[in-house]
Each structure stands twice: as C-alpha cells, then as structure tokens.
Amino acid sequence: MKTFRKLQKVAIVVGMVYGLWLGCNEAATDKDSISGMVIVALSVIVALSLLMPDAKQEESL
C-alpha cells in the first residue's frame, strides 16, 4: 500500500507539471491547451483521492 501511495504522489507531480507546461505553452493549439487542463484536472482528482481517508479504516473503528 505504501508503494501505491508513492506512485500516486509521483503521478500528481508529473501530471501537474506536464499539464501546466502543455496548457500554458505559447505554441500550443486550442486542442493542446484543453488536453493540458484535462491532465491537470485528473491530477487534482488523484490528489483528492490520496487525501480521502480509507473507508475500510473507518468501518473497523
């Protein structure tokens, strides 16, 4: 489970950096900008899932 959390953190960082680079690039087309913002949005979803407590831990309490 610890490895999965590290993978999530890496995916968040890579997604944010690549998405912002792609979306804010001066030579980007409209399609590139939209794709970049979609990548950023998906990175935010992964970050939120990382912050949410596990449902199994709450049930056992």
Side-chain angles (χ1 to χ4, degrees):
M1 188 62 127
K2 201 172 195 178
T3 304
F4 186 66
R5 295 242 183 230
K6 285 182 183 179
L7 267 166
Q8 281 180 315
K9 290 176 185 177
V10 170
I12 292 167
V13 171
V14 170
M16 287 288 188
V17 170
Y18 181 68
L20 289 174
W21 174 80
L22 185 62
C24 297
N25 195 356
E26 289 181 13
T29 62
D30 288 338
K31 190 174 181 180
D32 290 339
S33 296
I34 292 171
S35 297
M37 293 307 127
V38 168
I39 292 170
V40 169
L42 291 174
S43 297
V44 169
I45 291 171
V46 172
L48 289 176
S49 71
L50 186 64
L51 295 175
M52 296 294 234
D54 292 333
K56 292 180 182 179
Q57 289 179 352
E58 290 179 4
E59 291 175 2
S60 64
L61 295 176

Short mmCIF file of all heavy atoms in Angstrom, two decimals:
data_model
loop_
_atom_site.label_atom_id
_atom_site.label_comp_id
_atom_site.label_asym_id
_atom_site.label_seq_id
_atom_site.Cartn_x
_atom_site.Cartn_y
_atom_site.Cartn_z
N MET A 1 0.82 -1.19 0.00
CA MET A 1 0.00 0.00 0.00
C MET A 1 0.87 1.26 0.00
O MET A 1 0.51 2.27 -0.58
CB MET A 1 -0.92 -0.04 1.22
CG MET A 1 -1.95 1.06 1.20
SD MET A 1 -3.02 0.90 -0.21
CE MET A 1 -4.58 0.94 0.55
N LYS A 2 2.02 1.17 0.64
CA LYS A 2 2.93 2.31 0.69
C LYS A 2 3.47 2.64 -0.70
O LYS A 2 3.61 3.82 -1.05
CB LYS A 2 4.08 1.99 1.65
CG LYS A 2 4.77 3.18 2.18
CD LYS A 2 5.75 2.79 3.26
CE LYS A 2 6.17 4.00 4.03
NZ LYS A 2 7.07 3.69 5.12
N THR A 3 3.73 1.60 -1.50
CA THR A 3 4.22 1.81 -2.86
C THR A 3 3.15 2.50 -3.71
O THR A 3 3.46 3.37 -4.52
CB THR A 3 4.61 0.47 -3.50
OG1 THR A 3 5.56 -0.16 -2.66
CG2 THR A 3 5.19 0.67 -4.87
N PHE A 4 1.88 2.12 -3.49
CA PHE A 4 0.78 2.71 -4.24
C PHE A 4 0.66 4.20 -3.93
O PHE A 4 0.42 5.02 -4.82
CB PHE A 4 -0.53 1.98 -3.93
CG PHE A 4 -1.69 2.45 -4.75
CD1 PHE A 4 -1.70 2.24 -6.12
CD2 PHE A 4 -2.75 3.11 -4.17
CE1 PHE A 4 -2.76 2.68 -6.89
CE2 PHE A 4 -3.81 3.55 -4.93
CZ PHE A 4 -3.82 3.33 -6.29
N ARG A 5 0.85 4.58 -2.69
CA ARG A 5 0.79 6.00 -2.30
C ARG A 5 1.94 6.78 -2.94
O ARG A 5 1.75 7.91 -3.39
CB ARG A 5 0.86 6.13 -0.78
CG ARG A 5 -0.32 5.54 -0.09
CD ARG A 5 -1.06 6.59 0.66
NE ARG A 5 -2.15 5.99 1.40
CZ ARG A 5 -3.38 6.46 1.34
NH1 ARG A 5 -3.63 7.50 0.61
NH2 ARG A 5 -4.34 5.88 2.02
N LYS A 6 3.13 6.18 -3.00
CA LYS A 6 4.25 6.84 -3.66
C LYS A 6 3.97 7.03 -5.14
O LYS A 6 4.29 8.08 -5.72
CB LYS A 6 5.54 6.04 -3.46
CG LYS A 6 6.12 6.15 -2.08
CD LYS A 6 7.41 5.38 -1.96
CE LYS A 6 7.95 5.42 -0.54
NZ LYS A 6 9.19 4.68 -0.40
N LEU A 7 3.38 6.02 -5.77
CA LEU A 7 3.02 6.13 -7.18
C LEU A 7 1.99 7.24 -7.40
O LEU A 7 2.07 7.97 -8.39
CB LEU A 7 2.43 4.80 -7.67
CG LEU A 7 3.43 3.85 -8.29
CD1 LEU A 7 2.84 2.46 -8.41
CD2 LEU A 7 3.87 4.35 -9.63
N GLN A 8 1.04 7.36 -6.48
CA GLN A 8 0.05 8.44 -6.59
C GLN A 8 0.72 9.80 -6.50
O GLN A 8 0.39 10.71 -7.26
CB GLN A 8 -1.00 8.32 -5.49
CG GLN A 8 -2.05 7.27 -5.76
CD GLN A 8 -3.07 7.21 -4.64
OE1 GLN A 8 -2.72 7.22 -3.47
NE2 GLN A 8 -4.32 7.13 -5.01
N LYS A 9 1.65 9.94 -5.57
CA LYS A 9 2.34 11.23 -5.41
C LYS A 9 3.15 11.58 -6.65
O LYS A 9 3.16 12.73 -7.10
CB LYS A 9 3.23 11.19 -4.18
CG LYS A 9 2.44 11.17 -2.88
CD LYS A 9 3.35 11.05 -1.69
CE LYS A 9 2.55 10.91 -0.40
NZ LYS A 9 3.41 10.71 0.77
N VAL A 10 3.82 10.59 -7.22
CA VAL A 10 4.59 10.82 -8.45
C VAL A 10 3.66 11.18 -9.60
O VAL A 10 3.95 12.10 -10.38
CB VAL A 10 5.45 9.58 -8.78
CG1 VAL A 10 6.06 9.69 -10.16
CG2 VAL A 10 6.53 9.39 -7.73
N ALA A 11 2.52 10.50 -9.70
CA ALA A 11 1.56 10.79 -10.76
C ALA A 11 1.01 12.20 -10.63
O ALA A 11 0.78 12.89 -11.63
CB ALA A 11 0.43 9.77 -10.74
N ILE A 12 0.79 12.66 -9.40
CA ILE A 12 0.29 14.01 -9.18
C ILE A 12 1.31 15.03 -9.67
O ILE A 12 0.97 15.96 -10.41
CB ILE A 12 -0.03 14.23 -7.69
CG1 ILE A 12 -1.23 13.39 -7.28
CG2 ILE A 12 -0.29 15.70 -7.40
CD1 ILE A 12 -1.43 13.30 -5.78
N VAL A 13 2.56 14.86 -9.28
CA VAL A 13 3.60 15.82 -9.66
C VAL A 13 3.81 15.82 -11.17
O VAL A 13 3.84 16.89 -11.80
CB VAL A 13 4.92 15.50 -8.92
CG1 VAL A 13 6.05 16.34 -9.46
CG2 VAL A 13 4.75 15.71 -7.43
N VAL A 14 3.93 14.66 -11.75
CA VAL A 14 4.16 14.58 -13.20
C VAL A 14 2.97 15.14 -13.97
O VAL A 14 3.12 15.90 -14.93
CB VAL A 14 4.46 13.12 -13.62
CG1 VAL A 14 4.46 12.98 -15.13
CG2 VAL A 14 5.78 12.67 -13.04
N GLY A 15 1.76 14.80 -13.52
CA GLY A 15 0.56 15.30 -14.19
C GLY A 15 0.43 16.81 -14.12
O GLY A 15 0.07 17.47 -15.10
N MET A 16 0.72 17.37 -12.96
CA MET A 16 0.62 18.82 -12.80
C MET A 16 1.66 19.54 -13.66
O MET A 16 1.34 20.51 -14.36
CB MET A 16 0.82 19.22 -11.33
CG MET A 16 -0.32 18.89 -10.46
SD MET A 16 -1.68 19.98 -10.81
CE MET A 16 -2.77 19.54 -9.51
N VAL A 17 2.89 19.07 -13.59
CA VAL A 17 3.96 19.73 -14.36
C VAL A 17 3.70 19.62 -15.85
O VAL A 17 3.74 20.62 -16.58
CB VAL A 17 5.34 19.13 -13.98
CG1 VAL A 17 6.42 19.62 -14.93
CG2 VAL A 17 5.69 19.47 -12.55
N TYR A 18 3.42 18.43 -16.33
CA TYR A 18 3.20 18.24 -17.77
C TYR A 18 1.94 18.95 -18.24
O TYR A 18 1.92 19.58 -19.30
CB TYR A 18 3.14 16.76 -18.12
CG TYR A 18 2.95 16.51 -19.59
CD1 TYR A 18 3.96 16.82 -20.49
CD2 TYR A 18 1.76 15.99 -20.09
CE1 TYR A 18 3.79 16.63 -21.85
CE2 TYR A 18 1.59 15.79 -21.44
CZ TYR A 18 2.60 16.10 -22.33
OH TYR A 18 2.44 15.92 -23.66
N GLY A 19 0.88 18.87 -17.45
CA GLY A 19 -0.37 19.53 -17.82
C GLY A 19 -0.24 21.03 -17.89
O GLY A 19 -0.73 21.67 -18.83
N LEU A 20 0.42 21.62 -16.90
CA LEU A 20 0.61 23.07 -16.92
C LEU A 20 1.56 23.50 -18.04
O LEU A 20 1.34 24.52 -18.69
CB LEU A 20 1.12 23.55 -15.57
CG LEU A 20 0.08 23.51 -14.44
CD1 LEU A 20 0.74 23.88 -13.12
CD2 LEU A 20 -1.08 24.44 -14.74
N TRP A 21 2.59 22.70 -18.29
CA TRP A 21 3.50 23.02 -19.39
C TRP A 21 2.77 22.96 -20.72
O TRP A 21 2.91 23.85 -21.57
CB TRP A 21 4.68 22.05 -19.39
CG TRP A 21 5.57 22.25 -20.57
CD1 TRP A 21 6.53 23.20 -20.74
CD2 TRP A 21 5.55 21.49 -21.78
NE1 TRP A 21 7.12 23.07 -21.98
CE2 TRP A 21 6.54 22.02 -22.63
CE3 TRP A 21 4.81 20.40 -22.22
CZ2 TRP A 21 6.78 21.51 -23.90
CZ3 TRP A 21 5.06 19.89 -23.48
CH2 TRP A 21 6.04 20.44 -24.30
N LEU A 22 1.98 21.92 -20.91
CA LEU A 22 1.27 21.74 -22.17
C LEU A 22 0.19 22.80 -22.35
O LEU A 22 0.02 23.36 -23.43
CB LEU A 22 0.64 20.34 -22.23
CG LEU A 22 -0.06 19.94 -23.52
CD1 LEU A 22 0.95 19.93 -24.67
CD2 LEU A 22 -0.69 18.58 -23.37
N GLY A 23 -0.52 23.12 -21.28
CA GLY A 23 -1.60 24.09 -21.38
C GLY A 23 -1.14 25.52 -21.51
O GLY A 23 -1.83 26.35 -22.10
N CYS A 24 0.01 25.84 -20.96
CA CYS A 24 0.50 27.23 -20.96
C CYS A 24 1.57 27.48 -22.01
O CYS A 24 2.12 28.59 -22.07
CB CYS A 24 1.03 27.58 -19.58
SG CYS A 24 -0.23 27.51 -18.31
N ASN A 25 1.87 26.51 -22.82
CA ASN A 25 2.88 26.66 -23.85
C ASN A 25 2.41 27.68 -24.89
O ASN A 25 1.26 27.66 -25.32
CB ASN A 25 3.13 25.30 -24.52
CG ASN A 25 4.38 25.27 -25.33
OD1 ASN A 25 5.06 26.28 -25.49
ND2 ASN A 25 4.70 24.11 -25.87
N GLU A 26 3.28 28.59 -25.28
CA GLU A 26 2.91 29.64 -26.24
C GLU A 26 2.55 29.08 -27.61
O GLU A 26 1.69 29.62 -28.29
CB GLU A 26 4.05 30.64 -26.39
CG GLU A 26 4.25 31.51 -25.18
CD GLU A 26 5.37 32.52 -25.38
OE1 GLU A 26 5.82 32.70 -26.53
OE2 GLU A 26 5.81 33.09 -24.37
N ALA A 27 3.20 28.01 -28.01
CA ALA A 27 2.97 27.44 -29.33
C ALA A 27 1.85 26.39 -29.31
O ALA A 27 1.62 25.72 -30.31
CB ALA A 27 4.25 26.81 -29.86
N ALA A 28 1.13 26.28 -28.20
CA ALA A 28 0.10 25.26 -28.09
C ALA A 28 -1.15 25.65 -28.88
O ALA A 28 -1.53 26.82 -28.92
CB ALA A 28 -0.27 25.05 -26.62
N THR A 29 -1.75 24.66 -29.47
CA THR A 29 -3.03 24.89 -30.15
C THR A 29 -4.15 24.82 -29.12
O THR A 29 -3.92 24.53 -27.95
CB THR A 29 -3.25 23.82 -31.24
OG1 THR A 29 -3.31 22.54 -30.62
CG2 THR A 29 -2.13 23.83 -32.27
N ASP A 30 -5.36 25.09 -29.55
CA ASP A 30 -6.50 25.01 -28.62
C ASP A 30 -6.66 23.60 -28.08
O ASP A 30 -6.98 23.41 -26.90
CB ASP A 30 -7.79 25.44 -29.33
CG ASP A 30 -7.84 26.93 -29.59
OD1 ASP A 30 -7.12 27.67 -28.89
OD2 ASP A 30 -8.59 27.35 -30.49
N LYS A 31 -6.44 22.62 -28.94
CA LYS A 31 -6.57 21.22 -28.52
C LYS A 31 -5.52 20.87 -27.47
O LYS A 31 -5.80 20.16 -26.51
CB LYS A 31 -6.45 20.31 -29.73
CG LYS A 31 -6.80 18.88 -29.46
CD LYS A 31 -6.80 18.06 -30.75
CE LYS A 31 -7.16 16.63 -30.45
NZ LYS A 31 -7.17 15.81 -31.65
N ASP A 32 -4.30 21.38 -27.64
CA ASP A 32 -3.23 21.14 -26.66
C ASP A 32 -3.57 21.78 -25.32
O ASP A 32 -3.34 21.19 -24.26
CB ASP A 32 -1.90 21.69 -27.16
CG ASP A 32 -1.33 20.91 -28.32
OD1 ASP A 32 -1.72 19.74 -28.50
OD2 ASP A 32 -0.49 21.47 -29.05
N SER A 33 -4.10 22.98 -25.34
CA SER A 33 -4.46 23.66 -24.11
C SER A 33 -5.55 22.92 -23.35
O SER A 33 -5.48 22.77 -22.13
CB SER A 33 -4.93 25.09 -24.41
OG SER A 33 -3.90 25.84 -24.96
N ILE A 34 -6.54 22.44 -24.08
CA ILE A 34 -7.63 21.67 -23.45
C ILE A 34 -7.08 20.38 -22.88
O ILE A 34 -7.42 19.99 -21.75
CB ILE A 34 -8.76 21.41 -24.46
CG1 ILE A 34 -9.45 22.74 -24.80
CG2 ILE A 34 -9.76 20.42 -23.91
CD1 ILE A 34 -10.43 22.65 -25.94
N SER A 35 -6.22 19.70 -23.62
CA SER A 35 -5.62 18.45 -23.13
C SER A 35 -4.80 18.69 -21.87
O SER A 35 -4.85 17.90 -20.93
CB SER A 35 -4.74 17.82 -24.21
OG SER A 35 -5.49 17.48 -25.33
N GLY A 36 -4.07 19.78 -21.83
CA GLY A 36 -3.28 20.12 -20.66
C GLY A 36 -4.14 20.35 -19.43
O GLY A 36 -3.83 19.90 -18.33
N MET A 37 -5.25 21.05 -19.61
CA MET A 37 -6.13 21.32 -18.48
C MET A 37 -6.86 20.05 -18.02
O MET A 37 -7.14 19.89 -16.83
CB MET A 37 -7.14 22.41 -18.83
CG MET A 37 -6.48 23.76 -19.03
SD MET A 37 -5.43 24.25 -17.64
CE MET A 37 -3.90 24.62 -18.46
N VAL A 38 -7.14 19.15 -18.94
CA VAL A 38 -7.74 17.86 -18.56
C VAL A 38 -6.74 17.05 -17.73
O VAL A 38 -7.11 16.44 -16.72
CB VAL A 38 -8.18 17.07 -19.82
CG1 VAL A 38 -8.53 15.63 -19.48
CG2 VAL A 38 -9.37 17.75 -20.47
N ILE A 39 -5.48 17.07 -18.11
CA ILE A 39 -4.45 16.36 -17.34
C ILE A 39 -4.33 16.96 -15.94
O ILE A 39 -4.22 16.23 -14.95
CB ILE A 39 -3.10 16.42 -18.09
CG1 ILE A 39 -3.17 15.58 -19.37
CG2 ILE A 39 -1.97 15.92 -17.20
CD1 ILE A 39 -1.99 15.76 -20.29
N VAL A 40 -4.39 18.28 -15.84
CA VAL A 40 -4.33 18.93 -14.53
C VAL A 40 -5.55 18.54 -13.69
O VAL A 40 -5.43 18.24 -12.50
CB VAL A 40 -4.22 20.46 -14.68
CG1 VAL A 40 -4.42 21.17 -13.35
CG2 VAL A 40 -2.88 20.83 -15.28
N ALA A 41 -6.72 18.52 -14.30
CA ALA A 41 -7.94 18.14 -13.57
C ALA A 41 -7.84 16.70 -13.06
O ALA A 41 -8.23 16.41 -11.92
CB ALA A 41 -9.16 18.31 -14.47
N LEU A 42 -7.33 15.81 -13.88
CA LEU A 42 -7.17 14.42 -13.44
C LEU A 42 -6.14 14.30 -12.32
O LEU A 42 -6.30 13.49 -11.40
CB LEU A 42 -6.79 13.53 -14.63
CG LEU A 42 -7.88 13.34 -15.68
CD1 LEU A 42 -7.33 12.57 -16.87
CD2 LEU A 42 -9.08 12.63 -15.09
N SER A 43 -5.12 15.11 -12.36
CA SER A 43 -4.12 15.12 -11.28
C SER A 43 -4.74 15.61 -9.98
O SER A 43 -4.42 15.08 -8.91
CB SER A 43 -2.95 16.02 -11.65
OG SER A 43 -2.28 15.53 -12.77
N VAL A 44 -5.62 16.58 -10.07
CA VAL A 44 -6.32 17.06 -8.87
C VAL A 44 -7.21 15.96 -8.29
O VAL A 44 -7.28 15.78 -7.07
CB VAL A 44 -7.13 18.33 -9.20
CG1 VAL A 44 -8.07 18.70 -8.07
CG2 VAL A 44 -6.20 19.48 -9.51
N ILE A 45 -7.86 15.20 -9.16
CA ILE A 45 -8.71 14.09 -8.69
C ILE A 45 -7.87 13.04 -7.98
O ILE A 45 -8.24 12.53 -6.92
CB ILE A 45 -9.50 13.48 -9.87
CG1 ILE A 45 -10.54 14.49 -10.35
CG2 ILE A 45 -10.15 12.17 -9.47
CD1 ILE A 45 -11.23 14.11 -11.62
N VAL A 46 -6.70 12.73 -8.51
CA VAL A 46 -5.81 11.77 -7.86
C VAL A 46 -5.34 12.32 -6.52
O VAL A 46 -5.27 11.59 -5.53
CB VAL A 46 -4.61 11.43 -8.78
CG1 VAL A 46 -3.57 10.60 -8.05
CG2 VAL A 46 -5.08 10.70 -10.02
N ALA A 47 -5.06 13.61 -6.46
CA ALA A 47 -4.63 14.23 -5.20
C ALA A 47 -5.74 14.17 -4.16
O ALA A 47 -5.49 13.88 -2.98
CB ALA A 47 -4.20 15.67 -5.44
N LEU A 48 -6.96 14.42 -4.58
CA LEU A 48 -8.09 14.35 -3.65
C LEU A 48 -8.31 12.93 -3.16
O LEU A 48 -8.65 12.71 -1.99
CB LEU A 48 -9.35 14.89 -4.31
CG LEU A 48 -9.38 16.41 -4.54
CD1 LEU A 48 -10.64 16.80 -5.29
CD2 LEU A 48 -9.30 17.15 -3.22
N SER A 49 -8.13 11.95 -4.04
CA SER A 49 -8.30 10.56 -3.61
C SER A 49 -7.21 10.16 -2.62
O SER A 49 -7.42 9.30 -1.76
CB SER A 49 -8.29 9.62 -4.80
OG SER A 49 -7.00 9.53 -5.36
N LEU A 50 -6.06 10.77 -2.72
CA LEU A 50 -4.97 10.50 -1.78
C LEU A 50 -5.29 11.08 -0.40
O LEU A 50 -4.93 10.50 0.62
CB LEU A 50 -3.67 11.09 -2.32
CG LEU A 50 -2.39 10.80 -1.55
CD1 LEU A 50 -2.09 9.31 -1.59
CD2 LEU A 50 -1.24 11.56 -2.15
N LEU A 51 -5.98 12.20 -0.38
CA LEU A 51 -6.30 12.86 0.88
C LEU A 51 -7.52 12.25 1.59
O LEU A 51 -7.67 12.43 2.79
CB LEU A 51 -6.55 14.35 0.64
CG LEU A 51 -5.35 15.14 0.15
CD1 LEU A 51 -5.76 16.57 -0.16
CD2 LEU A 51 -4.24 15.12 1.19
N MET A 52 -8.38 11.59 0.83
CA MET A 52 -9.57 10.99 1.43
C MET A 52 -9.18 9.81 2.32
O MET A 52 -8.35 8.99 1.93
CB MET A 52 -10.53 10.50 0.34
CG MET A 52 -11.05 11.61 -0.51
SD MET A 52 -12.08 12.68 0.44
CE MET A 52 -13.53 12.67 -0.54
N PRO A 53 -9.78 9.71 3.49
CA PRO A 53 -9.48 8.56 4.35
C PRO A 53 -10.05 7.27 3.74
O PRO A 53 -11.05 7.30 3.03
CB PRO A 53 -10.17 8.90 5.67
CG PRO A 53 -11.22 9.87 5.31
CD PRO A 53 -10.73 10.61 4.09
N ASP A 54 -9.40 6.19 4.03
CA ASP A 54 -9.86 4.90 3.52
C ASP A 54 -11.15 4.49 4.20
O ASP A 54 -11.28 4.60 5.42
CB ASP A 54 -8.80 3.82 3.74
CG ASP A 54 -7.57 4.04 2.88
OD1 ASP A 54 -7.71 4.66 1.82
OD2 ASP A 54 -6.49 3.59 3.28
N ALA A 55 -12.11 4.00 3.44
CA ALA A 55 -13.40 3.59 4.00
C ALA A 55 -13.24 2.35 4.88
O ALA A 55 -13.94 2.20 5.88
CB ALA A 55 -14.38 3.31 2.87
N LYS A 56 -12.31 1.48 4.56
CA LYS A 56 -12.10 0.27 5.35
C LYS A 56 -11.59 0.59 6.74
O LYS A 56 -11.93 -0.06 7.71
CB LYS A 56 -11.14 -0.67 4.63
CG LYS A 56 -11.70 -1.26 3.38
CD LYS A 56 -10.70 -2.18 2.72
CE LYS A 56 -11.27 -2.72 1.42
NZ LYS A 56 -10.33 -3.59 0.73
N GLN A 57 -10.77 1.63 6.86
CA GLN A 57 -10.26 2.02 8.17
C GLN A 57 -11.37 2.58 9.03
O GLN A 57 -11.42 2.34 10.22
CB GLN A 57 -9.15 3.06 8.02
CG GLN A 57 -7.87 2.49 7.45
CD GLN A 57 -6.79 3.57 7.29
OE1 GLN A 57 -7.06 4.75 7.48
NE2 GLN A 57 -5.60 3.15 6.93
N GLU A 58 -12.31 3.32 8.45
CA GLU A 58 -13.42 3.88 9.21
C GLU A 58 -14.38 2.80 9.67
O GLU A 58 -14.93 2.88 10.76
CB GLU A 58 -14.17 4.91 8.37
CG GLU A 58 -13.37 6.18 8.15
CD GLU A 58 -14.12 7.19 7.30
OE1 GLU A 58 -15.30 6.93 6.96
OE2 GLU A 58 -13.54 8.23 6.97
N GLU A 59 -14.60 1.76 8.84
CA GLU A 59 -15.50 0.69 9.21
C GLU A 59 -14.97 -0.13 10.37
O GLU A 59 -15.73 -0.61 11.20
CB GLU A 59 -15.76 -0.23 8.00
CG GLU A 59 -16.56 0.41 6.91
CD GLU A 59 -16.68 -0.48 5.71
OE1 GLU A 59 -16.17 -1.63 5.75
OE2 GLU A 59 -17.28 -0.04 4.70
N SER A 60 -13.68 -0.29 10.47
CA SER A 60 -13.10 -1.12 11.52
C SER A 60 -13.12 -0.43 12.87
O SER A 60 -12.96 -1.07 13.89
CB SER A 60 -11.67 -1.52 11.16
OG SER A 60 -10.84 -0.37 11.09
N LEU A 61 -13.29 0.90 12.89
CA LEU A 61 -13.33 1.62 14.16
C LEU A 61 -14.62 1.48 14.81
O LEU A 61 -15.47 1.22 15.18
CB LEU A 61 -13.02 3.11 13.96
CG LEU A 61 -11.63 3.43 13.46
CD1 LEU A 61 -11.51 4.92 13.20
CD2 LEU A 61 -10.57 3.01 14.47
#
